[in-house]
Amino acid sequence: MADVDVIKLLELADHWIAQKTGSVLNDAQKTILSQALAGKKLKTIQVMGYSQNTVQRDLAPKLWKQLSEVTGKRVTIKSLRLILEGLPDADTDKSHTLTPPQPLPLSTTTFPSPIWELPGGQLDLASPCYVERPGDESRAYEEISKPGSLIRIKAPRQMGKTSLMVRLLYHAERQGCRSVALNFELAEREVFADLNQFLQWFCATVTDDLHLPIQLENRWSKFLGSKKNCTNYFEKYLLPTLRTPLVLGLDAVDRIFPHEHVADDFFGLLRAWHEKAKQHEIWKNFRLIIVHGTEVYIPLSNDQSPFNVGLPIELSEFDAHQVEDLAQRHGLDFTWNDVKQLMAMVGGHPHLIRLALYKIARQDITLSKLLEDAPTETGIYADHLRLHRWHLEKHPDLADALTQVLEANRPVQLKGAIAFKLNSMGLVYLVGNQVSIRNDLYRQYFRERLHLEKLQSQDTKEYRGRIIPHSLGDNVLAAIVFTDIKDSTQKQHENQQPTLAAIHRDLKLMTKLCHQFEGEVLKSMGDGLLMYFVSAVKAVDCSQTIQKTLSLAARGLPTQEVLQHRIGIHLADVFFNGTDVQGDGVNIAARLQSQAKPGGICISWIVYEAVKNHLQLQITNSEHRLLRGIDEPMLLYQISIEL
């Protein structure tokens, strides 16, 4: 089936479900429908964040049932296209008359209760956990309906930037536009090597998401510059082909900032396109949403920057009334005092508030216990705090500045760049260059940790490039790497001597590589290693090198001498006695190792967040998994190795 037919039938299915149930298709359902309508068999359909087993046995059957109920006919993957093609066309008014945005309907089918929706990441369009910021959102909805519009959404991480962007894209689609959401975190590092390669990737990705043929070979002239080629590609191919406004949502553009050789020209190009909409009819059909979390440090002149035009939206934290409303959606009978207590600890930070309400609603913890444990290593915010701590350890100038803020009883004057960076991380409030700590959670946690780490730096010794605390009980934020061999016991039983020799050979190689990446082998468990790294980046880099080196070495070996290793990596506080390491970080790394594919690597979300902008990762899957001994499902990322 042609791509355009897939899109039409997808829109028709969405329309019928919305009309009959008041709900909308979520992203997973759209992905399943798109692939099914394109002719894929159920066993080959893939949805990011879900296992194929979940897709085949849960998501797809529920979707067929829902479509059967709204169409009155039995829908299966085989009858899907035939039934949708027989439905009356939706009433699609393509006029551009501005209409007030309607609240997105809540889907009791998809989310029966907020307590079943795991906190973290983009909220589904139908999520009852989404909290509107009326002032910001009403202006944004109005602006995105205007020809040639540009909206800039800025806020620290986990404040709801992406969730707002997808709602704006959805609203634009309802007004007859086509939309593409492009997340730069999904771009490999090599994409940023030079401007020409980056712009070709940019054009190809947008084209592919629009389900149009990629025509770079025919439309990229070697005689024209890359910016001119990119402009022509949109102006003479994409926009005329669509014949309807295109809304482009660019998420995590911070990823481009460090690559100044690309950033300067790319952002200048976006500004030029925005200006073209004032003069050329074709460019009035181009609308842009730019999402970023950090300040713009790249040197762009005022007339070339897209960051000083359009509508700026800087997302604020929730106020007390919004927190109270969200608590009620979770079925909690919070008093005004309960709301005030929670906000005294975490402020109105959307993710921290949502995580607290989720845990309390599931009766995992009481509010009083949550507040007591919040700034500790055993509290529900431990991973969130560790990630901030990891970033501060990698940037001592920021850690020193935050220490200065914590030691003062009033707002502190900091250098502009330092103040902006701490504000972008979400650790401080910024008024001019005066800053104060954002909430009591950060105050309590970092006042103790930053002071303790300063003392430990004076009372430690260095061994093989790592810092070892002198006594048991000293805790260190570390990347723990756990390795194991698939079917090791069976291989030893079937062919003991060659297997033992192969284990010794591989562990020797892994130990050598560990030391090269400034790590240390703390323990050998017969057929696996427990390794420790100060740097999460070096831990993942070393693990990728280990798997790649072992795979290359195996090419010339007999089958019985080839072993398949699995590696798990977690970043957490661990406790040393000089020769051993203990703590939840070790236990979780061991669980992650058991989830890794043979020859692959499994990392926790906190490791992914720490390394994603520093290493090229071949992520093959990401999903929440329930691990033995861990109360809540963890978001895991599977890394494969390309030779």
Side-chain angles (χ1 to χ4, degrees):
M1 184 194 300
D3 289 333
V4 65
D5 292 333
V6 170
I7 295 169
K8 288 181 178 179
L9 292 179
L10 185 61
E11 292 175 347
L12 188 60
D14 194 34
H15 171 79
W16 270 73
I17 287 177
Q19 290 294 318
K20 298 287 186 179
T21 70
S23 68
V24 292
L25 290 171
N26 60 41
D27 290 341
Q29 291 173 319
K30 288 181 180 179
T31 301
I32 293 170
L33 273 181
S34 297
Q35 295 183 47
L37 290 169
K40 281 196 173 186
K41 296 181 178 178
L42 183 57
K43 64 182 180 180
T44 64
I45 291 177
Q46 295 184 343
V47 180
M48 192 67 170
Y50 296 92
S51 66
Q52 287 188 319
N53 185 58
T54 300
V55 173
Q56 293 178 43
R57 299 190 178 186
D58 183 33
L59 300 183
K62 288 181 178 177
L63 178 57
W64 308 149
K65 181 181 178 181
Q66 188 177 21
L67 287 169
S68 299
E69 291 173 350
V70 301
T71 62
K73 300 179 181 180
R74 185 172 178 270
V75 175
T76 66
I77 193 169
K78 292 183 179 180
S79 65
L80 173 65
R81 186 175 71 174
L82 184 63
I83 291 174
L84 291 180
E85 287 178 339
L87 294 176
D89 289 337
D91 180 18
T92 53
D93 179 11
K94 300 300 182 180
S95 68
H96 300 299
T97 303
L98 182 62
T99 57
Q102 299 298 314
L104 294 170
L106 302 184
S107 170
T108 55
T109 301
T110 307
F111 297 113
S113 167
I115 68 173
W116 300 114
E117 186 181 4
L118 287 168
Q122 171 192 325
L123 288 173
D124 189 278
L125 283 171
S127 172
C129 296
Y130 184 77
V131 176
E132 295 182 0
R133 280 94 154 183
D136 289 336
E137 294 189 24
S138 59
R139 288 188 299 147
Y141 282 126
E142 181 180 348
E143 187 67 20
I144 201 62
S145 301
K146 299 176 181 178
S149 58
L150 189 156
I151 299 173
R152 296 177 281 115
I153 305 173
K154 176 184 174 295
R157 63 186 302 273
Q158 296 184 313
M159 288 285 289
K161 302 184 297 295
T162 303
S163 295
L164 174 56
M165 182 191 77
V166 298
R167 280 157 176 76
L168 290 174
L169 295 177
Y170 176 83
H171 176 68
E173 288 176 353
R174 289 299 188 193
Q175 299 228 337
C177 301
R178 293 288 299 278
S179 73
V180 170
L182 195 160
N183 189 332
F184 287 101
E185 286 186 356
L186 300 179
E188 293 84 358
R189 290 182 69 193
E190 62 189 23
V191 165
F192 303 97
D194 65 75
L195 181 65
N196 193 64
Q197 181 170 322
F198 174 82
L199 291 180
Q200 287 192 352
W201 171 87
F202 175 68
C203 289
T205 303
V206 174
T207 308
D208 185 62
D209 286 351
L210 288 169
H211 304 286
L212 294 173
I214 297 173
Q215 296 192 4
L216 288 175
E217 292 184 1
N218 301 328
R219 297 178 178 273
W220 208 268
S221 171
K222 64 181 180 180
F223 301 108
L224 300 176
S226 54
K227 290 197 293 183
K228 178 61 174 175
N229 276 320
C230 186
T231 301
N232 286 346
Y233 193 85
F234 274 78
E235 184 176 301
K236 298 180 179 180
Y237 174 45
L238 289 184
L239 295 177
T241 301
L242 293 176
R243 297 181 181 179
T244 189
L246 170 63
V247 184
L248 188 57
L250 303 183
D251 199 2
V253 300
D254 320 62
R255 179 79 189 281
I256 311 174
F257 292 168
H259 308 278
E260 290 190 18
H261 60 290
V262 169
D264 184 59
D265 285 314
F266 178 63
F267 291 123
L269 184 64
L270 295 181
R271 171 63 181 268
W273 290 356
H274 176 63
E275 297 297 332
K276 276 177 171 285
K278 301 173 183 178
Q279 306 171 15
H280 304 284
E281 286 299 319
I282 191 67
W283 284 100
K284 293 184 186 297
N285 283 338
F286 182 76
R287 304 170 192 181
L288 190 61
I289 305 171
I290 299 177
V291 177
H292 61 110
T294 60
E295 295 295 329
V296 183
Y297 296 108
I298 49 179
L300 296 172
S301 61
N302 288 335
D303 59 350
Q304 290 185 327
S305 173
F307 299 102
N308 56 12
V309 292
L311 175 67
I313 299 292
E314 188 157 353
L315 292 182
S316 60
E317 294 189 341
F318 294 161
D319 61 29
H321 294 287
Q322 290 170 319
V323 173
E324 182 183 37
D325 174 59
L326 190 56
Q328 291 174 355
R329 298 188 205 180
H330 283 74
L332 298 172
D333 187 20
F334 262 34
T335 66
W336 194 246
N337 186 55
D338 292 333
V339 172
K340 290 296 186 181
Q341 285 188 69
L342 179 57
M343 295 187 70
M345 177 60 70
V346 301
H349 189 290
H351 175 70
L352 302 184
I353 291 289
R354 163 74 175 119
L355 183 57
L357 298 178
Y358 172 83
K359 290 287 188 178
I360 296 170
R362 290 176 60 89
Q363 300 183 349
D364 295 334
I365 196 170
T366 63
L367 175 60
S368 60
K369 181 62 174 173
L370 184 150
L371 296 174
E372 179 185 342
D373 293 345
T376 71
E377 299 297 344
T378 57
I380 67 170
Y381 301 123
D383 280 348
H384 174 86
L385 294 167
R386 286 172 191 145
L387 185 60
H388 276 308
R389 183 173 153 202
W390 184 86
H391 284 298
L392 290 171
E393 287 183 356
K394 302 310 162 190
H395 301 280
D397 55 337
L398 297 181
D400 290 343
L402 187 62
T403 301
Q404 184 181 344
V405 174
L406 292 170
E407 291 175 349
N409 295 322
R410 61 185 64 184
V412 174
Q413 180 90 15
L414 297 177
K415 291 182 179 179
I418 295 291
F420 282 137
K421 288 177 182 178
L422 288 175
N423 180 60
S424 297
M425 292 173 67
L427 293 175
V428 300
Y429 287 118
L430 175 64
V431 180
N433 285 341
Q434 293 248 315
V435 302
S436 56
I437 199 69
R438 188 170 283 265
N439 56 49
D440 203 43
L441 175 70
Y442 297 152
R443 184 189 307 280
Q444 293 187 46
Y445 181 84
F446 286 110
R447 176 178 284 172
E448 177 182 346
R449 295 305 180 287
L450 294 180
H451 176 68
L452 179 62
E453 284 162 11
K454 184 178 293 186
L455 293 178
Q456 284 182 344
S457 67
Q458 302 166 2
D459 188 33
T460 56
K461 61 180 181 178
E462 186 170 347
Y463 177 66
R464 288 188 183 274
R466 70 181 178 92
I467 301 300
I468 307 175
H470 280 312
S471 60
L472 182 64
D474 286 340
N475 64 303
V476 176
L477 184 63
I480 297 298
V481 178
F482 217 105
T483 79
D484 190 29
I485 297 172
K486 180 191 177 186
D487 301 329
S488 174
T489 303
Q490 180 182 344
K491 286 180 177 292
Q492 292 183 50
H493 177 73
E494 295 174 350
N495 213 343
Q496 186 175 21
Q497 290 305 317
T499 301
L500 290 175
I503 291 174
H504 176 75
R505 175 201 67 212
D506 287 359
L507 296 191
K508 183 178 178 180
L509 172 64
M510 294 163 72
T511 300
K512 179 181 178 181
L513 290 172
C514 174
H515 292 159
Q516 287 180 7
F517 283 85
E518 300 180 6
E520 185 62 29
V521 175
L522 295 173
K523 188 186 295 184
S524 173
M525 286 79 65
D527 57 357
L529 298 178
L530 174 61
M531 296 182 283
Y532 156 75
F533 294 79
V534 173
S535 164
V537 174
K538 289 183 178 178
V540 176
D541 200 8
C542 177
S543 299
Q544 291 190 123
T545 303
I546 285 173
Q547 294 290 35
K548 185 175 294 186
T549 304
L550 290 173
S551 296
L552 290 172
R555 290 180 173 179
L557 296 175
T559 303
Q560 64 270 24
E561 296 183 20
V562 176
L563 304 176
Q564 290 184 304
H565 296 263
R566 296 177 295 208
I567 299 178
I569 310 175
H570 186 53
L571 180 68
D573 274 286
V574 292
F575 302 86
F576 285 91
N577 63 9
T579 59
D580 199 2
V581 62
Q582 300 168 325
D584 287 341
V586 179
N587 299 331
I588 292 176
R591 303 289 186 269
L592 294 175
Q593 169 272 125
S594 68
Q595 299 295 318
K597 307 296 183 185
I601 303 166
C602 183
I603 63 176
S604 58
W605 77 269
I606 190 172
V607 173
Y608 174 75
E609 289 292 332
V611 308
K612 64 185 180 183
N613 293 331
H614 302 278
L615 295 173
Q616 183 174 338
L617 305 175
Q618 185 64 31
I619 302 293
T620 57
N621 189 33
S622 64
E623 62 178 329
H624 285 88
R625 298 293 295 271
L626 189 61
L627 305 180
R628 183 166 57 88
I630 310 299
D631 293 337
E632 294 293 338
M634 285 189 65
L635 179 57
L636 314 180
Y637 291 82
Q638 298 284 352
I639 302 176
S640 67
I641 306 300
E642 289 188 346
L643 300 179

